[in-house]
Amino acid sequence: MIYSTFAFVFGAVLLQCQPSLPAPFVLPLLLPTVWIAWRYRSRRYIHLPALTIAGLLWAALMAHVTLYSELDPALEGRDLHLVGVVESLPDVTSERTRFLFKVENITDGQQMYASPGRVQLSWYQGATELSAGETWQFTVRLKRPHGMANPGTRDYERSLFRKGIRATGYIRANDTNRRIGVAVIGYPFERLRQRIAREIEQALPSAAGNGLIRALVIGDRSGITPAEWRVFRATGTSHLMAISGLHIGIVSGIGFFLCNGLWRRSATLCSRVPAPQAGALAALVGAFCYAGLAGFAIPCIRALVMLSALLGGVLFRRPLQPTRSLCFALLAVVIGDPAAVTSPGFWLSFGAVTVILLGILGRIHLTSARIFGVFKVQWAVALGLAPLLLLLGFDLPLLSPLVNIVAVPLFSLLLVPLALTSVGLLMIWPTLGQALLMATNGLLGQTKTILLMISGFSDPIALSGSPPTWLLMGLLTSVLLLLLPAGIPGRWLGILLVYPLFLYRPLSPAKGEVWMTMLDVGQGLSVVLETADHRLLYDTGPRFPSGFDTGELVVLPFLKARGVEKIDRIIVTNGDMDHRGGLAAVLKAFPSAELLSGEPQRLNNGQPTLCAAGMRWTWDGVGFSILHPATASSWRGNDASCVLAVDTAAGRVLLTGDIEAPAEASLVEKYPGQLHAVVVTIPHHGSASSSRTPFIAATQPLYGLISSGYRNRYGFPRAEVVARWQQQQVKLLNTAESGALSLRFTTDGRIEGPFGYRNTHARYWMTSPF
């Protein structure tokens, strides 16, 4: 069963690596493939390949079903009228209310269109209180799922695909926005979650810990701040701070032992139903209800399936071997949701159980010291999950095993039961419930304080760059060897296999080369320039009103993926938020970087100096020069942007920031015949106030790179600007369409690229921008 399960899952994984889905006419081959796998189950050379193909075809079928309800591209950016049901617990901040909405009818006022199914809506102005299960009518603007596409960063489109969200949008201020009706029967768990959230808010209106209480009780993590998440990640305790498989296990365990113990006290009950079966049923009911409070999040569903496999054997008096239970749960999850294999949580949760079975089963006995057993479990889990964490791009907190030895029992035996009990009492006995909830909140506050102190001493292990898969497979092999029972020859070889991984260094430019990457930061700008021994960051991307910081969530992950340990110079072209928004996060990670800006007076971080025409330096055989603005000039705003020229063996690269027509004219006048470049970043994201014909004629590039947001409200790049560049035979590339753009300028005068990340790393769930 183990080989069969892995073959089917491997097929589902293979599909997730494909740039496009198999044609629909191939899908009927699924049934004969399954028949072949069953008919020849005793012949592995036929059985296993057939199951792999079946897994791929099943995953393709489910993906086609999900993508079938895609929003019509012609409807993007238009006012639409939706009627549907609020599906989720609303995420409310001071700026907006965000929720999932199941669309029943969609029209533009003249014609009815096919429903995209589930959409994610944000309500910014005039938002009223929403409740799950309510039927509403809204006027909205929608767009297909689209996220920033960069090396080393989160795949937002994949996340939306896994949740079945086929469009995102915002609600327009309109008199037609109104509540139509309230569901009386539907969405019971979501309505209960919302009621609990209100009760917690009223009981702890100003308490800093109510966000963590909500996370533990109803799985609502919106109240946990980014600073708190950093502490939890640094101490390896993130898995404890929201409803996960561990918490489902806690509740089911409490239900099992309570019911089993009470049931045994009645001979009549035991004569009808054995106590273990009653306990197993109570454990499953408790786990199901707790998973419902978490909104049936994917980790909770996985835990519920695994518990069902284990406890189902008790209920039907046919106990399964642990490995068979694990395989059954793995198979059930992948059949129900093949896209789950793209989730890090999928691999970490099943990986943790596998590691425990491999390293602990049959090796810790009841006569063993309890504390030693706990240490051994934590050691096995920490060691076994290390290669998975590194493969998935996470750091390894060194103190995580030691912290979890205390934190896991603390949450399992005290904090989670206290939080659930206090909220339960709050619903039926408010006075006692509030007192207990405040006490629980105090304990959580003390726990966070201790974790904050520990995080200052917990330096994580981080790999340099993104190692190749074969190196990470070597680490996985080493871990498997180390987890083998004592006495098996060759276990010590596991230690030797670890060293090559930490000796690995990512490829870097040779002397005289320049590697350029224009990151996809939405409506903003950020460019990374790499030479043999130096790194320059040209703008840091925007920070949006929602709190999304591209410096922290795009620039730094990219630099980590590239193995960058030092930035020599940061140039913030001007003081607008779409260029300086990520500066604070970048400077926190690289405080020694020299900072230049065209508007240093508008920067609130670091010690910037004015970038001025005439500044020149050479790094590793590559020349850099500032062409604009002039020293102590009167340029302000966009026209104060630093214009940087990079001279390579393949020609000049011209980075232009947000300059507009006056600054362009100044450059053409000041540097006659000297502005020719092979690559130019199109000024001001393609605004109509820039890219005048004399400037285009003076630069005459092969490639023009545009950094803009997908369907941005300014309409950049403007059609007339695109036409002017194309009239000069310039090939234009836009990050909104291509994702991050990378080029390599070699010492023999060649240009490798431009490569668009959406092309080189295409996946079938990615939305085509055309």
Side-chain angles (χ1 to χ4, degrees), residues 9-22:
V9 172
F10 181 65
V13 172
L14 280 180
L15 182 81
Q16 314 311 321
C17 303
Q18 304 308 310
S20 59
L21 290 175

Side-chain angles (χ1 to χ4, degrees), residues 749-767:
R750 292 182 298 110
I751 300 177
E752 297 179 357
F755 303 107
Y757 187 78
R758 284 184 173 272
N759 295 325
T760 59
H761 293 75
R763 294 295 182 267
Y764 69 84
W765 57 76
M766 287 184 172
T767 300

Side-chain angles (χ1 to χ4, degrees), residues 102-396:
K102 184 178 180 180
V103 179
E104 297 175 348
N105 293 310
I106 178 170
T107 175
D108 60 1
Q110 299 178 348
Q111 181 180 348
M112 191 80 71
Y113 296 92
S115 168
R118 176 182 292 176
V119 301
Q120 179 178 278
L121 297 179
S122 297
W123 198 345
Y124 293 99
Q125 298 178 355
T128 61
E129 186 175 359
L130 301 172
S131 293
E134 292 179 340
T135 303
W136 276 79
Q137 173 181 293
F138 293 119
T139 298
V140 306
R141 284 192 178 175
L142 298 176
K143 64 180 180 181
R144 292 172 296 164
H146 191 279
M148 302 172 189
N150 300 279
T153 61
R154 174 195 178 201
D155 189 339
Y156 180 63
E157 291 176 46
R158 181 180 65 190
S159 176
L160 294 177
F161 172 75
R162 284 204 313 264
K163 297 175 183 177
I165 298 172
R166 301 313 307 142
T168 62
Y170 63 94
I171 296 172
R172 302 266 287 168
N174 196 298
D175 294 337
T176 62
N177 297 331
R178 61 188 179 89
R179 183 186 288 108
I180 297 176
V182 179
V184 178
I185 299 176
Y187 304 94
F189 281 115
E190 291 299 330
R191 296 170 69 189
L192 179 59
R193 294 178 74 210
Q194 191 157 9
R195 182 186 170 191
I196 292 174
R198 292 195 192 103
E199 295 287 349
I200 293 174
E201 290 285 349
Q202 292 173 6
L204 302 171
S206 59
N210 64 25
L212 190 49
I213 292 282
R214 294 203 310 273
L216 293 177
V217 176
I218 60 174
D220 177 17
R221 296 179 293 179
S222 61
I224 300 179
T225 66
E228 289 173 330
W229 278 124
R230 284 192 288 270
V231 171
F232 300 149
R233 284 194 295 267
T235 54
T237 55
S238 298
H239 63 290
L240 298 174
M241 304 306 164
I243 299 177
S244 63
L246 174 64
H247 300 82
I248 299 293
I250 293 170
V251 171
S252 65
I254 292 173
F256 180 87
F257 288 112
L258 282 179
C259 183
N260 183 61
L262 294 174
W263 203 270
R264 289 179 183 275
R265 295 180 178 273
S266 171
T268 303
L269 292 176
C270 288
S271 65
R272 295 179 180 276
V273 179
Q277 288 181 288
L281 182 60
L284 283 175
V285 171
F288 179 81
C289 293
Y290 196 34
L293 285 179
F296 291 109
I298 292 175
C300 298
I301 294 176
R302 285 196 298 268
L304 202 56
V305 171
M306 294 179 73
L307 277 171
S308 300
L310 291 169
L311 296 176
V314 178
L315 277 173
F316 297 103
R317 302 182 186 182
R318 296 178 61 88
L320 297 175
Q321 294 178 355
T323 52
R324 286 184 174 271
S325 297
L326 178 63
C327 289
F328 176 79
L330 182 61
L331 195 60
V333 169
V334 174
I335 289 175
D337 180 18
V341 299
T342 65
S343 166
F346 172 89
W347 297 104
L348 293 176
S349 59
F350 281 107
V353 177
T354 303
V355 166
I356 291 173
L357 291 177
L358 180 63
I360 303 302
L361 191 64
R363 297 164 66 178
I364 295 181
H365 306 285
L366 294 176
T367 56
S368 301
R370 297 298 178 87
I371 295 179
F372 176 74
V374 172
F375 269 94
K376 201 165 186 179
V377 170
Q378 292 299 330
W379 158 251
V381 172
L383 179 64
L385 292 185
L388 276 178
L389 288 167
L390 294 173
L391 181 63
L392 295 169
F394 296 103
D395 293 340
L396 299 178

Side-chain angles (χ1 to χ4, degrees), residues 595-601 608-612 615 629-633 640 642:
L595 180 59
L596 303 178
S597 177
E599 293 186 297
Q601 72 279 3
T609 57
L610 179 68
C611 65
M615 296 179 64
T631 304
S633 68
C642 306

Side-chain angles (χ1 to χ4, degrees), residues 647-658:
D647 293 306
T648 75
R652 169 169 283 187
V653 179
L654 196 62
L655 308 183
T656 61
D658 272 355

